[in-house]
């Protein structure tokens, strides 16, 4: 597969000079999406309450003439004075430790927040995009997961605040589309990784990278044979931008169909970091999905989209980003056995 490429300049913008509101702009995916919109010449208003979003993700945009950040909880109503063309809803805690720490806030972001952002789009005659999740499939009965799969979700389990919150957000989005004629898009994001992820978000990629860089055993739950499909963030952003030019309301799977076991991912990260870490097996958490693999036939047919970045290339970039953030003074290994100072080479 192709090597990872910068977000800037890939594909064509949906149309010139748009004003785009990105809720969840300081989050991992949101901040990369903001970068892409600005690179394409648009004006962006970011909205984030910074519960899980990080100012550091947007620090490079300080003083940018076409970007501003509003610190606000989307679960509370707000207005925009200037005309809005798109409202993008990415505002929700999205990793198990975060949404279990903030269960009420997660439910409110996906219920009240979705309604407030839908009404904002309706008021301005704007289009609306909801960032939903593969978690709406729960522990899937069908494999790979297709968009017409209704899911197998525990409505009151330890992950229900996120799973059911997103399912409700999808229902609300489609109600506004059917009842008010609001132009909407719904994406279902599968496991996405890359620079700017929170090192403490509890996802397998971040856990494994942090443990490998620290020389600690990598914690693998269950037997490690449960599967995930890893998508690099630039591929996701490209899919979102292409979807903005498509009239299909969704849902639309955006993910990488290359399926790997959790154990394989752990071993690959050990290899790429050059770590001496071993694997430590623990009991599988309740309601942890056994298989994750998107069917992206719809995205291929309607968007001409498929992921381009291999796990090897994307993980190498992500590892270096984590190394610079967590161990800025540590020397890193490069091919051929040489070492470079990570801070000096950043």
């Amino acid at each position: 597969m192709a090597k990872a490429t910068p977000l800037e300049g890939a594909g064509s913008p949906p149309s010139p000079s748009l004003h785009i509101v990105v809720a969840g702009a300081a989050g991992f995916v949101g901040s990369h999406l903001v970068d892409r919109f600005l690179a394409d010449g648009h004006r962006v208003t970011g909205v984030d309450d910074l519960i899980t979003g990080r100012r550091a993700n947007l620090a490079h945009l300080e003083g940018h003439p076409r970007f501003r950040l509003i610190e606000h909880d989307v679960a509370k109503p707000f207005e925009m004075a200037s005309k809005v063309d798109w409202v993008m809803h990415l505002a929700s805690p999205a990793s198990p430790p975060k949404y279990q720490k903030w269960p009420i806030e997660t439910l409110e972001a996906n219920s009240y927040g979705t309604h407030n952002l839908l009404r904002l789009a309706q008021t301005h005659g704007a289009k609306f995009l909801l960032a939903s999740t593969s978690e709406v499939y729960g522990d899937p009965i069908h494999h790979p997961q297709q968009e017409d799969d209704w899911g197998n979700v525990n409505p009151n389990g330890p992950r229900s605040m996120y799973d059911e919150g997103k399912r409700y957000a999808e229902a609300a989005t489609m109600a506004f589309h059917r009842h008010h004629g609001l132009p909407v898009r719904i994406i279902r994001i599968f496991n996405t990784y890359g620079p700017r992820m929170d090192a403490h978000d509890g996802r397998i990629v971040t856990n494994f990278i942090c443990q490998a860089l620290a020389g600690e055993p990598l914690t693998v739950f269950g037997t490690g044979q449960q599967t995930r499909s890893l998508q690099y963030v630039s591929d996701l952003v490209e899919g979102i931008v292409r979807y903005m030019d498509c009239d299909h309301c969704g849902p639309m799977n955006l993910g990488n169909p290359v399926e790997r076991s959790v154990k394989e991912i752990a071993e690959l990260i050990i290899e790429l970091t050059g770590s001496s870490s071993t694997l430590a097996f623990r009991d599988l958490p309740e309601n942890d999905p056994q298989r994750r693999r998107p069917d992206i036939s719809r995205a291929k047919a309607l968007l001409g989209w498929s992921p381009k970045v291999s796990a090897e290339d994307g993980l190498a970039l992500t590892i270096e980003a984590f190394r610079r953030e967590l161990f800025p003074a540590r020397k890193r290994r490069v091919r051929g056995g040489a070492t470079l100072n990570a801070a000096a080479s950043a």
Side-chain angles (χ1 to χ4, degrees):
M1 299 179 76
K3 288 184 178 293
T5 55
L7 298 179
E8 293 82 353
S12 58
S15 60
S17 303
L18 298 174
H19 178 203
I20 304 174
V21 173
V22 178
F28 158 51
V29 173
S31 65
H32 284 286
L33 196 58
V34 169
D35 280 353
R36 174 61 185 269
F37 289 150
L38 293 174
D40 285 342
H42 303 309
R43 181 163 61 97
V44 179
T45 299
V47 182
D48 204 302
D49 64 1
L50 301 176
I51 284 183
T52 58
R54 302 191 297 166
R55 287 190 181 275
N57 288 343
L58 299 171
H60 61 290
L61 298 178
E62 185 176 353
H64 195 291
R66 287 183 282 109
F67 176 73
R68 66 168 178 149
L69 177 65
I70 300 173
E71 189 173 340
H72 182 81
D73 180 359
V74 296
K76 300 174 183 177
F78 68 101
E79 298 178 354
M80 298 292 297
S82 59
K83 180 74 169 61
V84 175
D85 298 291
W86 274 93
V87 176
M88 321 290 286
H89 185 6
L90 294 89
S92 172
S95 68
K98 299 297 184 181
Y99 57 66
Q100 288 166 356
K101 179 180 179 181
W102 305 101
I104 307 304
E105 290 80 0
T106 300
L107 287 164
E108 289 179 343
N110 288 295
S111 54
Y112 300 133
T114 301
H115 278 273
N116 289 334
L117 292 166
L118 284 163
R119 294 203 180 278
L120 178 67
Q122 182 184 22
T123 298
H124 286 266
K127 297 177 181 179
F128 177 86
L129 181 139
L130 171 68
S132 187
T133 173
S134 61
E135 296 299 321
V136 300
Y137 297 116
D139 191 4
I141 298 172
H142 305 104
H143 192 77
Q145 289 77 66
Q146 296 180 323
E147 289 90 347
D148 58 0
D149 187 339
W150 291 356
N152 178 36
V153 176
N154 181 348
N156 49 37
R159 304 165 72 102
S160 61
M161 70 290 290
Y162 185 64
D163 301 356
E164 295 292 8
K166 289 296 186 182
R167 287 163 70 91
Y168 177 83
E170 288 195 17
T173 298
M174 289 307 300
F176 268 74
H177 172 65
R178 295 185 178 114
H179 190 68
H180 296 297
L182 185 70
V184 302
R185 312 285 190 272
I186 298 173
I187 59 172
R188 290 177 177 166
I189 301 174
F190 283 70
N191 294 71
T192 302
Y193 70 97
R196 301 183 197 164
M197 294 183 80
D198 181 355
H200 308 291
D201 71 2
R203 293 184 171 105
I204 61 168
V205 169
T206 49
N207 282 353
F208 288 167
I209 290 177
C210 289
Q211 290 171 333
L213 289 176
E216 300 171 352
L218 274 60
T219 304
V220 176
F221 293 103
T223 64
Q225 295 309 306
Q226 64 271 34
T227 66
R228 298 295 183 265
S229 300
L230 302 182
Q231 169 180 234
Y232 190 67
V233 65
S234 64
D235 282 329
L236 172 61
V237 168
E238 176 66 18
I240 292 172
V241 171
R242 292 191 185 201
Y243 192 19
M244 292 168 71
D245 258 349
C246 175
D247 290 333
H248 190 279
C249 63
M252 182 94 59
N253 287 341
L254 292 179
N256 193 325
V258 177
E259 186 179 9
R260 297 171 183 261
S261 74
V262 169
K263 183 173 180 288
E264 288 172 338
I265 294 168
E267 291 169 344
L268 177 58
I269 288 174
I270 289 174
E271 177 186 346
L272 291 171
T273 54
S275 175
S276 59
S277 295
T278 57
L279 304 183
F281 294 88
R282 300 287 185 270
D283 291 339
L284 193 67
E286 183 181 357
N287 297 147
D288 190 61
Q290 289 298 300
R291 302 192 74 180
R292 275 283 184 267
R293 179 187 168 197
D295 183 319
I296 61 170
S297 301
R298 183 175 293 178
K300 283 183 175 180
L302 297 179
L303 310 181
W305 174 89
S306 61
K308 304 299 181 186
V309 182
S310 70
E312 290 77 7
D313 291 332
L315 285 171
L317 290 172
T318 307
I319 287 166
E320 285 310 307
F322 270 60
R323 202 188 303 265
R324 289 193 298 268
E325 178 181 349
L326 300 176
F327 306 103
R330 178 182 292 184
K331 292 182 177 181
R332 62 180 176 86
R333 298 180 183 177
V334 296
R335 293 183 185 275
T339 60
L340 292 174
N341 184 280
S345 62

